[in-house]
Amino acid sequence: MLDLLSAPYFCSIILITFCRFIVDPKSGVFDLGTALILLWRRNPNSGFTSLIFEFLKWALVQTLAVYGGGVAADFYINSKRTGVKASGNPIKSWAPPLILPCQTTHKRFSPKVHAFSYSYLFVGIPVEWKGSMNGMIGVEDALASEKLAPAVCLHRFFSNCNDPYKRPWLRIDAQDYLMRGHGELGLRGKLNKYLNSENVDPAEFPHAYLVTAPRFWDYQFNPVSFWYLYSSKHVLSAMILEVNNTFDERRMYFLRPSISPESSTTTSAFRQSWQKDFHVSPFNDREGEYSLHAYASFHPTALSIESTSNRLDNTITLRDRTGKTKLIARIHSQGPALDPAVMSMLAKAHFVLSWSFVGLRTFPRIVYEAGRLFFLRRLRVWFRPEVLSSSVGRKATTQEVLLEKIFRAYLTQQCRFSSPSLSVIYTIPSYDSVLGDAKADPAQEAKKLRFSALTPAFFSRFVHYTSTMTAIAAEALTPVIENRTLDLSQPSLVASLISAPLLAASPSSSPIIPLVTAPQPSWAGYLIPLLSLLRAGKPPATAYPTATTNLPPTPPPLQNLHEPPNLPRTLSLSHLDTFVRSSCPPSVQWVYLWLTFDELAGAKILVSPSILLKALDIVGRVGFVAFTISCFERLGHGQTCSSWMFLRATSLLVYFLGRSWVSVKWRRCTKEVRQLGEP
């Protein structure tokens, strides 16, 4: 029998590690390993099997304790919620949600023959539907997005409650689809916004059905999703293919059938072809043609469980520029669809045990097949190009999010001093706003400039340049289209946007960019000029190789920009440096100083300082674990701590207190940065 009172310290350690795993899985994995080391040091002579068995006993006891606490917390939280009542049934829709066990097959014909087949899990939901069904499948909204302890999720086995506050096994989150973010719009709202961007009236498709890979164990890798768009007469009138690659980039294809939907029957196939313009596989270029052959089985007359066993059967064919077939990919149902509303506890358990790791194995399988193509088939590897304006770039890192906020504030200020007839439409994957409204005479035609960052990499690359015009010329007007990170609707208008405030300043003026605020002087403002020592005389490395590493020539409309005057050449400020130094508060200056230093130094030494700090933090945590072990070993043998151990304890305490202080200050500073550039 396990004696919990014999080692209360280790009992507390295990409890804390499981709580940490609930709050932060990455830190929890580290602390679980720490707990295992502590148990091993407690019984150094025990074998591996007995060590694991003892660890599992501790884990079982503490998991039950955490589950009991989670149930109590779940009851307390739900009892305090007001304003929304969890109904016994989710919002009704024209079609039921379904679970679709599937099989995916790929066969490559050129330049080498290669094939594979794997099981895959899809779910189908009407986009108007919201709620949770039987603890198995659900669509998250703003209220149901609150995270509960994973222990509470055991209710999904034993309850048929449709409470939207209890997370189901299979989740659909609106923010994961179509354009980035905007999860508050829901699936229907995001679909309407996308259709409007394609100049399509959403009222044309009052019904829509989404077939996609759900989040399972809070993990999702979704190579392709199918949106079936139906008319008011439930006729399949269009489809949207949402394609994601392994670089977290996305492309949506809006397709209408090649055969008129009025002349088709409900059981006919949807066929269409379109040009490829999105990088999916490193073993294919970005040229060619796709064709889709999909059966229209998701209409009300076919959505009964007994009607057919093959509810999904879509085939995508890739042809090269000569019309030769290169690849055929097929996704089809593997048996009948599952109705989550009638699944029993045993059916849920069987499903989870059978399909829980299918989604987790998707990415490793892709890497495995890529290795076979590269090492065994010797296929050529194509460089990854930057996305076109028709695609959606990858998600931004934390560094890129903060740099984008600073750049947006800089661009907003430039719009205030630009030509009054210029209207700037600033676009990133998760944001779209007009930064400058045209105020010219109605007789004068307003000029519109769409300023679109194709990828978040633009903001981290922008800090490498001294001149704004040079950066725009290099990132938006480079002759190598695959390297463009910026898209401009009318490049000739950029000169009036960027250079107007600069030309207005006299050579003896102190700030090139006019002041908007009067920030207090700070040490960051004095250190920002030192960033120029890290800037190289050439742009950062690009994805596609170019014929020369020199800067591209600046077009004639963009040549009216000069370097900041009255500064030594070795410490010359970039235009963004000048803006931050003269127009931003000290907290923003510190954030900009660190982010830019991290980016420039990382390009110089190939390892960014932020990675070095993370490594130092790991060393500090390991040192804390080792010190704790040694202290309790000495106390367990009745020994006292020496002065050397006291010094180590003081050093570790100072380190963690300093780390906590820096972390708090950083969060406060970044909070101010996130408030910049808002309309």
Side-chain angles (χ1 to χ4, degrees):
M1 186 68 181
L2 188 63
D3 187 6
L4 295 178
L5 299 179
S6 62
Y9 169 72
F10 296 100
C11 179
S12 302
I13 286 291
I14 297 296
L15 179 60
I16 292 173
T17 54
F18 272 90
C19 292
R20 285 291 303 276
F21 185 78
I22 290 171
V23 176
D24 187 356
K26 293 182 180 179
S27 299
V29 170
F30 182 88
D31 292 340
L32 283 176
T34 303
L36 190 60
I37 293 175
L38 290 174
L39 289 173
W40 172 71
R41 293 300 300 266
R42 180 168 173 257
N43 300 285
N45 298 325
S46 61
F48 178 78
T49 304
S50 59
L51 174 65
I52 296 299
F53 181 69
E54 182 179 0
F55 176 76
L56 291 178
K57 288 192 295 183
W58 286 97
L60 177 62
V61 172
Q62 299 307 324
T63 300
L64 293 177
V66 173
Y67 172 70
V71 171
D74 182 31
F75 177 79
Y76 176 78
I77 291 174
N78 283 284
S79 64
K80 294 294 183 180
R81 286 195 176 100
T82 58
V84 177
K85 182 178 179 181
S87 60
N89 297 308
I91 298 176
K92 295 182 179 181
S93 182
W94 60 279
L98 297 173
I99 300 175
L100 306 168
C102 297
Q103 188 83 7
T104 179
T105 60
H106 286 244
K107 187 171 183 179
R108 182 181 293 271
F109 298 92
S110 175
K112 299 289 184 65
V113 178
H114 182 77
F116 62 87
S117 177
Y118 293 118
S119 57
Y120 202 66
L121 181 65
F122 270 160
V123 298
I125 58 168
V127 297
E128 302 85 1
W129 181 73
K130 293 182 181 179
S132 177
M133 180 171 289
N134 200 13
M136 285 301 299
I137 184 173
V139 177
E140 285 197 346
D141 55 17
L143 294 176
S145 61
E146 303 175 18
K147 289 187 176 181
L148 300 178
V152 186
C153 72
L154 291 180
H155 75 86
R156 298 177 290 195
F157 279 124
F158 305 104
S159 174
N160 61 356
C161 177
N162 297 320
D163 190 345
Y165 296 112
K166 295 183 178 180
R167 287 195 163 187
W169 286 108
L170 308 176
R171 297 189 296 107
I172 304 297
D173 195 341
Q175 67 179 358
D176 295 333
Y177 296 91
L178 300 176
M179 70 288 294
R180 301 287 186 195
H182 304 288
E184 69 280 358
L185 298 178
L187 291 174
R188 183 76 240 189
K190 295 191 71 173
L191 175 61
N192 293 345
K193 185 174 182 178
Y194 169 75
L195 292 176
N196 287 325
S197 67
E198 296 290 323
N199 297 321
V200 178
D201 185 7
E204 186 180 351
F205 310 107
H207 307 294
Y209 202 84
L210 172 63
V211 177
T212 183
R215 284 188 174 272
F216 204 171
W217 298 109
D218 206 28
Y219 173 83
Q220 180 192 45
F221 182 77
N222 203 353
V224 61
S225 298
F226 302 94
W227 298 72
Y228 295 80
L229 308 183
Y230 293 90
S231 65
S232 57
K233 298 180 180 180
H234 298 289
V235 176
L236 182 61
S237 303
M239 287 186 65
I240 299 174
L241 263 66
E242 185 175 338
V243 183
N244 299 275
N245 60 18
T246 54
F247 306 103
D248 197 27
E249 297 166 339
R250 182 177 301 165
R251 175 69 164 99
M252 288 83 71
Y253 296 101
F254 176 78
L255 308 174
R256 293 187 183 271
S258 56
I259 303 176
S260 176
E262 288 78 8
S263 61
S264 62
T265 62
T266 57
T267 58
S268 64
F270 183 100
R271 294 183 176 88
Q272 187 53 273
S273 300
W274 67 97
Q275 292 298 315
K276 179 185 179 184
D277 59 358
F278 182 64
H279 180 77
V280 178
S281 170
F283 303 102
N284 293 323
D285 58 7
R286 203 162 58 178
E287 297 181 354
E289 183 186 71
Y290 282 123
S291 62
L292 171 67
H293 186 186
Y295 284 99
S297 58
F298 294 98
H299 52 83
T301 59
L303 282 176
S304 60
I305 300 300
E306 298 83 4
S307 61
T308 177
S309 60
N310 293 323
R311 308 198 170 278
L312 181 66
D313 192 355
N314 296 344
T315 302
I316 299 177
T317 304
L318 173 62
R319 297 180 176 86
D320 59 18
R321 66 189 70 178
T322 63
K324 182 180 179 181
T325 300
K326 295 184 62 176
L327 175 69
I328 296 179
R330 183 188 177 206
I331 181 77
H332 60 94
S333 296
Q334 189 179 14
L338 304 178
D339 186 358
V342 298
M343 294 182 70
S344 63
M345 181 186 69
L346 293 179
K348 295 180 187 179
H350 180 267
F351 172 82
V352 171
L353 293 176
S354 302
W355 292 90
S356 59
F357 296 103
V358 171
L360 297 176
R361 292 199 299 260
T362 301
F363 185 78
R365 283 170 171 173
I366 292 177
V367 175
Y368 171 73
E369 296 298 337
R372 292 180 61 190
L373 290 173
F374 180 75
F375 293 105
L376 298 181
R377 305 290 189 247
R378 304 290 183 179
L379 262 63
R380 173 187 174 181
V381 176
W382 295 81
F383 289 98
R384 182 191 66 85
E386 298 294 351
V387 297
L388 301 175
S389 58
S390 57
S391 303
V392 180
R394 60 171 174 81
K395 294 179 182 177
T397 63
T398 303
Q399 179 186 23
E400 292 167 342
V401 169
L402 298 175
L403 287 176
E404 187 274 328
K405 292 290 185 179
I406 296 174
F407 177 82
R408 189 193 306 178
Y410 165 64
L411 196 62
T412 301
Q413 177 171 289
Q414 293 299 112
C415 292
R416 296 174 183 174
F417 297 93
S418 63
S419 172
S421 62
L422 180 63
S423 176
V424 179
I425 302 175
Y426 176 74
T427 302
I428 58 175
S430 60
Y431 183 85
D432 193 343
S433 177
V434 178
L435 299 185
D437 293 326
K439 307 177 183 64
D441 188 344
Q444 182 180 1
E445 182 181 359
K447 301 176 182 178
K448 291 185 178 181
L449 170 64
R450 178 172 288 275
F451 195 101
S452 302
L454 301 178
T455 170
F458 167 76
F459 305 106
S460 59
R461 292 171 60 84
F462 185 83
V463 299
H464 288 263
Y465 297 94
T466 302
S467 169
T468 302
M469 290 300 187
T470 305
I472 292 177
E475 300 298 322
L477 305 177
T478 174
V480 184
I481 301 178
E482 291 81 1
N483 289 332
R484 293 183 179 178
T485 62
L486 181 66
D487 181 67
L488 302 173
S489 59
Q490 299 186 58
S492 60
L493 298 178
V494 177
S496 60
L497 170 66
I498 301 298
S499 62
L502 303 178
L503 296 178
S506 62
S508 60
S509 301
S510 176
I512 287 184
I513 301 176
L515 293 177
V516 174
T517 61
Q520 301 176 357
S522 66
W523 283 104
Y526 296 111
L527 295 176
I528 284 177
L530 299 178
L531 295 174
S532 60
L533 299 177
L534 296 175
R535 286 193 173 92
K538 59 182 180 180
T542 53
Y544 264 67
T546 56
T548 176
T549 57
N550 297 327
L551 289 173
T554 305
L558 307 182
Q559 292 178 351
N560 297 324
L561 197 65
H562 52 271
E563 294 294 333
N566 301 330
L567 287 174
R569 184 63 186 91
T570 56
L571 295 179
S572 60
L573 295 175
S574 70
H575 300 138
L576 191 59
D577 292 345
T578 307
F579 164 75
V580 174
R581 193 184 184 203
S582 62
S583 304
C584 295
S587 57
V588 177
Q589 294 180 18
W590 279 113
V591 173
Y592 174 77
L593 177 64
W594 168 252
L595 294 177
T596 307
F597 170 76
D598 184 59
E599 175 66 26
L600 298 178
K604 284 280 188 180
I605 63 177
L606 302 181
V607 179
S608 64
S610 59
I611 296 179
L612 298 179
L613 287 180
K614 291 179 181 178
L616 178 64
D617 182 59
I618 292 177
V619 172
R621 294 178 66 179
V622 172
F624 177 76
V625 171
F627 172 75
T628 306
I629 292 174
S630 60
C631 285
F632 276 88
E633 281 182 345
R634 294 179 66 90
L635 294 176
H637 292 84
Q639 301 176 359
T640 59
C641 296
S642 62
S643 58
W644 170 243
M645 296 185 67
F646 178 77
L647 180 62
R648 290 173 59 190
T650 304
S651 301
L652 289 172
L653 180 62
V654 171
Y655 167 75
F656 280 105
L657 288 177
R659 179 181 181 274
S660 301
W661 181 82
V662 172
S663 178
V664 171
K665 294 291 289 184
W666 177 258
R667 284 197 296 267
R668 290 179 180 177
C669 293
T670 54
K671 182 179 180 181
E672 293 190 32
V673 173
R674 294 176 188 275
Q675 296 174 353
L676 290 175
E678 297 296 337

